Amino acid sequence: MTIKAEAGSNNSYPGATTKGYILVVEDEPHIARFIELELQHEGYQVSIAADGIEALVQSRQHRPDLVVLDLMLPGVDGLEVCRRLRTGSGPSLPEIPIIMVTAKDTVLDRVAGLKTGADDYLTKPFAIEELLARIEALLRRSNLGGSTSGSVGGMERLQFADLLVETPTRQVWRGKKEIELSTKEYELLVYLLRHPRQVLNREQIYEAVWGYDFEGESNVLEVYIRYLRNKLDQAGPRLIHTVRGAGYVLKEI
């Protein structure tokens, strides 16, 4: 199959009628467009990021089901993007499958990619059929894995104890009580729900919820934690706890 560059890109975001939402991080436009068209033909929603920073921003704004990540990127390279996605120094997505696609094919390169957190590694040039097969395998494995998130009828649900969030509708329940949250309260809660029982420091939360260039008041996180606690604690025992000198954790007492 001939790779042909085409102007423009119909980037789109996840919908219930698709097989999943895939973020393709690739700085070569003709390769990115080729992968995008093939994935769309297979029924996936696709978005393209041309560099590492754009990939991290898009991952924070629209949580992908899988990331196809080029290793050699301008600015922040693929290894660093993968590290930030896995460790929380960006939009932390520890459970999201990542396939590294790169021209680097030495054993050391593959080991570095896998140790950084990639689930699979595919070298260029590659057959699109192999990439599609690997994507399907990783998504199938991901859907079988146990976590606090799940999908029912195309709707993602995040649950911890008696706290439930349905992300497409942004509805939040504590037991049988529906809770109204502001945008930032909701984004903060979702971030905590994606990392249950994990102590998250201020820097991790600021980067994931407010963004890399956040320069607001130094106590804004404490303010929103208080807002969120006030609403959640009215319907049950406290779930968001302060770990002094370390950060915050979502856990049961």
Side-chain angles (χ1 to χ4, degrees):
M1 182 178 294
T2 303
I3 298 177
K4 180 180 179 182
E6 298 186 24
S9 174
N10 296 320
N11 289 355
S12 52
Y13 296 105
T17 60
T18 67
K19 294 170 63 175
Y21 164 48
I22 297 178
L23 175 61
V24 176
V25 188
E26 171 61 65
D27 65 323
E28 296 186 44
H30 66 292
I31 295 179
R33 182 59 171 154
F34 170 65
I35 295 174
E36 178 185 30
L37 290 172
E38 291 293 332
L39 289 173
Q40 288 177 340
H41 179 72
E42 292 296 318
Y44 295 102
Q45 293 274 0
V46 185
S47 183
I48 304 297
D51 59 56
I53 294 298
E54 184 182 353
L56 293 169
V57 170
Q58 288 200 37
S59 296
R60 182 172 63 246
Q61 294 174 341
H62 302 275
R63 181 177 181 270
D65 295 305
L66 181 143
V67 178
V68 176
L69 178 63
D70 187 27
L71 190 60
M72 300 174 67
L73 297 169
V76 178
D77 67 18
L79 285 177
E80 181 61 21
V81 171
C82 186
R83 185 177 296 110
R84 293 188 187 184
L85 290 176
R86 290 305 193 215
T87 63
S89 57
S92 181
L93 304 172
E95 77 284 7
I96 298 300
I98 298 175
I99 300 179
M100 281 191 174
V101 178
T102 178
K104 291 189 171 185
D105 61 355
T106 69
V107 172
L108 289 177
D109 290 324
R110 291 196 295 273
V111 169
L114 294 171
K115 281 190 173 181
T116 304
D119 297 280
D120 205 347
Y121 196 103
L122 190 59
T123 57
K124 299 176 181 177
F126 57 86
I128 191 62
E129 292 81 6
E130 183 176 5
L131 176 60
L132 293 173
R134 294 190 183 209
I135 288 172
E136 289 180 5
L138 282 175
L139 287 176
R140 186 165 56 247
R141 187 190 314 165
S142 176
N143 289 336
L144 289 174
S147 72
T148 59
S149 65
S151 180
V152 178
M155 177 175 289
E156 185 193 22
R157 310 179 79 183
L158 299 171
Q159 186 165 9
F160 182 81
D162 62 345
L163 183 61
L164 174 66
V165 173
E166 291 186 347
T167 59
T169 61
R170 301 173 74 92
Q171 290 176 287
V172 179
W173 286 272
R174 184 81 195 267
K176 295 183 179 181
K177 177 180 174 60
E178 186 170 1
I179 300 172
E180 297 292 331
L181 299 179
S182 69
T183 298
K184 275 291 176 262
E185 290 167 354
Y186 172 82
E187 291 174 356
L188 176 57
L189 177 60
V190 167
Y191 184 64
L192 293 170
L193 277 168
R194 295 198 191 284
H195 306 86
R197 305 182 186 88
Q198 178 180 337
V199 177
L200 303 168
N201 62 43
R202 291 168 54 87
E203 290 73 21
Q204 289 174 310
I205 299 173
Y206 273 130
E207 289 180 356
V209 179
W210 277 271
Y212 296 99
D213 55 354
F214 177 74
E215 297 179 354
E217 296 294 331
S218 60
N219 69 334
V220 68
L221 175 56
E222 287 75 13
V223 170
Y224 275 92
I225 288 288
R226 185 171 71 249
Y227 290 162
L228 199 49
R229 279 175 174 162
N230 287 342
K231 293 182 178 181
L232 297 179
D233 292 357
Q234 291 179 14
R238 174 160 293 185
L239 292 177
I240 301 174
H241 302 271
T242 301
V243 181
R244 297 199 178 277
Y248 298 94
V249 60
L250 181 71
K251 68 176 183 178
E252 295 178 275
I253 297 175

